[in-house]
Amino acid sequence: MPNIMKVFTGNANPEIAQEICNYLDMPLSKAEVKQFSDGEVSVEIGENVRGTDVFVIQPTCTPVNDHLMELLIMVDALRRASARRITAVLPYYGYARQDRKVRPRVPITAKAVAEMLMAVGTRRVLCMDLHAGQIQGFFNIPVDHLYSAPILLKHIRRNFEDVVMVSPDAGGVERTRAFAKRLNAHLAIIDKRRKRANECQAMNVIGDVNGKTAILLDDMVDTAGTLCSAAAKLKENGAKEVHACCAHAVLSGPAIERINDSQIKSLVVTNSIPLADKGERCNKIKVLSVGELLGEAISRIHSEDSVSYLFV
């Protein structure tokens, strides 16, 4: 039987799924994903998948629990319909921030999600810009971990000169150093003290930003407290302009208002998470597409070609 590929999507981000299918020059496969009146997820696969290589595009973004359950139930339905291999494509991997025990009696949710995905029949995972690369080790199946770095680097090279790459906290230094190296730019670090979840205070700038264009780099922007306080501190230290680049635009709570009122001149994000009306409420936000990157990775996985060059 020929090795047939099919691409499905839940309700999390059908736009990026359609972009991927346009790149692959194939139709988006049919599936009805809805909810019963009590909120339970109902899934019905609309075409034959027996013996096929199936990819399910579903970032687990807000509402996180609904979209995670959609993904799990779709994979279960596809497995029971005799799909040959099911790959979960998660442009954004939710629950990733709790990736280790930092205090007693707390969960490791990134591991719990990995266990659930494997339990329902996922045989491969394709994800992008994980909060911590070690999350790959929570899976006992192959994981392809892509980075939005090539797309963000291209944007920075085209639009900025005399930049200094800034990590908003110590945890992001390795990521920011890699960007600085490729751009032949200087590196600075914000010394951040976090009081509690989603609330932090930027204390000091380590490195010289005076008279330079500072570009803050992070894997995600959630409530934007970290980015906005870091931007204010960079301006205090003489930065000419402050811009930000993030892979995942979670943008919850007061994020849009904070960005509008902040020293950040522009915020570049990818479409791993749909922005809905948030982009309209903040004209500082620019969205770059990762559809072609994910599409190329899916094509290579299906044809059993190497995807390693996409990791850079």
Side-chain angles (χ1 to χ4, degrees):
M1 183 175 179
N3 187 11
I4 299 170
M5 172 171 60
K6 296 201 174 188
V7 176
F8 290 86
T9 183
N11 295 317
N13 196 348
E15 293 82 11
I16 197 171
Q18 190 59 61
E19 275 189 42
I20 289 168
C21 286
N22 291 344
Y23 178 81
L24 295 170
D25 194 24
M26 62 180 293
L28 185 62
S29 295
K30 297 172 185 175
E32 188 176 35
V33 184
K34 55 185 181 180
Q35 290 187 344
F36 292 112
S37 59
D38 66 349
E40 288 184 6
V41 174
S42 168
V43 170
E44 184 174 349
I45 305 302
E47 53 191 78
N48 180 24
V49 295
R50 186 177 296 272
T52 59
D53 191 13
V54 174
F55 295 83
V56 184
I57 318 294
Q58 181 82 337
T60 49
C61 50
T62 186
V64 181
N65 297 337
D66 289 349
H67 290 150
L68 176 58
M69 285 305 299
E70 284 183 10
L71 175 59
L72 295 173
I73 294 170
M74 286 186 78
V75 171
D76 183 74
L78 290 160
R79 177 175 61 86
R80 294 176 189 278
S82 301
R84 183 177 62 83
R85 180 179 64 178
I86 304 165
T87 300
V89 181
L90 293 94
Y92 170 68
Y93 186 97
Y95 282 111
R97 281 171 283 190
Q98 297 178 82
D99 57 2
R100 64 195 186 282
K101 285 189 70 173
V102 293
R103 294 182 304 279
R105 298 176 297 280
V106 296
I108 303 178
T109 56
K111 170 66 170 172
V113 170
E115 293 282 2
M116 287 189 281
L117 284 167
M118 291 186 292
V120 293
T122 306
R123 290 296 168 258
R124 193 179 194 99
V125 170
L126 173 62
C127 53
M128 192 182 80
D129 285 291
L130 288 170
H131 189 63
Q134 301 92 310
I135 291 171
Q136 296 169 80
F138 294 159
F139 290 91
N140 298 324
I141 56 178
V143 177
D144 293 303
H145 183 204
L146 300 181
Y147 297 92
S148 59
I151 295 162
L152 296 176
L153 283 166
K154 188 176 181 180
H155 174 81
I156 293 169
R157 288 192 183 102
R158 283 181 174 178
N159 293 277
F160 305 110
E161 294 179 352
D162 193 24
V163 303
V164 55
M165 296 302 302
V166 184
S167 174
D169 54 34
V173 171
E174 185 179 352
R175 180 190 307 112
T176 311
R177 183 187 290 118
F179 269 65
K181 183 178 179 181
R182 286 170 173 78
L183 293 166
N184 196 26
H186 292 289
L187 171 69
I189 304 165
I190 301 289
D191 174 33
K192 181 185 72 173
R193 311 289 169 90
R194 188 179 291 278
K195 293 179 179 179
R196 57 184 69 89
N198 298 128
E199 184 178 331
C200 67
Q201 180 181 0
M203 300 295 290
N204 299 301
V205 177
I206 303 170
D208 181 21
V209 298
N210 188 40
K212 297 181 180 293
T213 298
I215 300 180
L216 285 157
L217 181 69
D218 213 344
D219 65 316
M220 71 170 72
V221 51
D222 186 359
T223 59
T226 297
L227 281 185
C228 293
S229 57
K233 189 61 69 172
L234 290 167
K235 288 294 284 187
E236 283 179 26
N237 280 259
K240 183 171 62 177
E241 290 181 352
V242 180
H243 301 265
C245 291
C246 298
H248 309 300
V250 179
L251 297 175
S252 64
I256 296 297
E257 289 71 24
R258 284 177 173 172
I259 293 166
N260 278 329
D261 297 338
S262 74
Q263 298 282 356
I264 296 172
K265 194 167 182 181
S266 72
L267 169 62
V268 177
V269 299
T270 75
N271 62 344
S272 63
I273 296 174
L275 278 179
D277 67 331
K278 294 170 184 174
E280 296 173 8
R281 289 160 49 204
C282 181
N283 57 16
K284 294 182 179 182
I285 297 175
K286 178 177 176 58
V287 183
L288 304 178
S289 176
V290 291
E292 289 191 10
L293 177 67
L294 291 167
E296 180 62 25
I298 288 170
S299 174
R300 286 172 170 267
I301 290 168
H302 172 67
S303 59
E304 306 293 350
D305 289 334
S306 171
V307 297
S308 59
Y309 95 102
L310 296 173
F311 295 165
V312 179

